[in-house]
Amino acid sequence: MKISGSDLLVSQSPQHAVILGEAQRNGAKSKDLLFANLAAILLFCFLQMTPALFAQNAAHPGARTVMDAHNCYPYFEWWSDRIDRALSAGTPLAIEQDLGWYTDPKTGKSWSIVTHGMPGFGNEPTMKQYFFERVRPIVEQALRDGNHGNWPLITLNLDFKTEEPEHLRAVLALLNEYRDWLTTAPRTADDATTQPLDVRPILVLTGESDAQQKVFYDEIPVGSKLLVFGAAHTNEKNPMAAPEVLEPAHATNYRRWWNNPWNVVEQGGQTKAGEWTKEDNLRLRSLVEHAHQNDLWIRFYTLDGVDKKEDLSCHGWFSSYNFGSLSAAEARWRAALEVGVDYIASDQYETLGKMVKENTKEH
């Protein structure tokens, strides 16, 4: 004769049934407690891992959009407040520094100066004075606070006006003085394979020239750290060519970004731009998506818009970058934010910076 579990339960005395029911309930509670404990352990582990995971996010192409402060340095005795204006927009942001190699005709001594044009006069600021020591309080506070997922706080964009090997090596020596502040990657024998970034408060980007690669990458010993990351080579014959024609290469360990004038988006650039159209937006999106698929940050320069032409000269801005009105520039800024452009370069630091802060979202 077979006795089922239900028969056995029915045959129990009332007292036995109560004891069995209580045991089952206790067993269920034990299982619930076990699962709760496991969930708590897993949550704790995740929270411990979260800073390490999120710390890299902001450094990924497409992770965020930042205002890129174009020509962020004085011209002669004018506009010496540009870096303060840029920093007033808040971090994260990018700051462009143009560099030239000045030689004193009396002493023969040479050094790097922050300048838009050469030959220079010798009284221009150095990047150590104008940039690094100015941002010291921001960087040191960031290092004390740790990375909360918003590093790099500042992208330093180097625009070399002269590329003498001694100039490039002098800049590299300066960067080495501040290497603890800088985002780096290991120099390996295989440039085709990108290495993970050790993300720090400052990221340094430079141009696409092979002369810069020689100093900033080729001459760096394998096993050492890369302190500077170059731009991808661009095919400039036809600015309106397909994205994969303009920039056919994937990111490498050294070349990690793509720098573009606006004429790759709208034919003729800023001064020929009309109303912002659906087709323009699709073109912009295709360029950005191509860059991010190739693991490249993408930058567009320089998106300005003033209603009165005299506002250009009084601020030291260029007519070739002017869309003709602030509203026209704002339409492009919004479009660039929407499609996830990494760096929007403009001379209108405060206005663009405010829009970026108000509209930033993760992409």
Side-chain angles (χ1 to χ4, degrees), residues 258-277:
W258 185 17
N259 193 28
N260 287 281
W262 192 251
N263 67 359
V264 302
V265 179
E266 294 182 90
Q267 191 164 11
Q270 289 88 328
T271 60
K272 302 296 183 182
E275 293 295 320
W276 182 249
T277 67

Side-chain angles (χ1 to χ4, degrees), residues 2 12 19 45 84 110 137 141 147 160 204 249 268 275 295 304-305 316 324 328 331 344:
K2 293 183 178 180
Q12 302 292 329
I19 293 171
C45 292
D84 295 318
S110 301
Q141 184 62 53
N147 187 358
F160 283 91
V204 184
E275 293 295 320
D295 291 332
D304 293 346
I344 307 173

Side-chain angles (χ1 to χ4, degrees), residues 166-181:
E166 58 268 38
H167 183 196
L168 300 176
R169 293 184 185 117
V171 170
L172 183 60
L174 174 64
L175 296 177
N176 265 297
E177 292 182 33
Y178 297 92
R179 62 183 300 124
D180 291 342
W181 296 7

Side-chain angles (χ1 to χ4, degrees), residues 317-331:
W317 301 343
F318 301 103
S319 59
S320 58
Y321 294 142
N322 181 25
F323 284 106
S325 69
L326 178 58
S327 61
E330 288 176 332

Side-chain angles (χ1 to χ4, degrees), residues 322-343:
N322 181 25
F323 284 106
S325 69
L326 178 58
S327 61
E330 288 176 332
R332 277 76 179 175
W333 295 346
R334 281 191 292 269
L337 275 162
E338 180 61 32
V339 300
V341 172
D342 300 283
Y343 298 104

Side-chain angles (χ1 to χ4, degrees), residues 153-169:
L153 295 179
I154 302 171
T155 298
L156 172 60
N157 189 335
L158 303 180
D159 185 355
F160 283 91
K161 297 306 181 184
T162 66
E163 293 185 321
E164 301 86 351
E166 58 268 38
H167 183 196
L168 300 176
R169 293 184 185 117

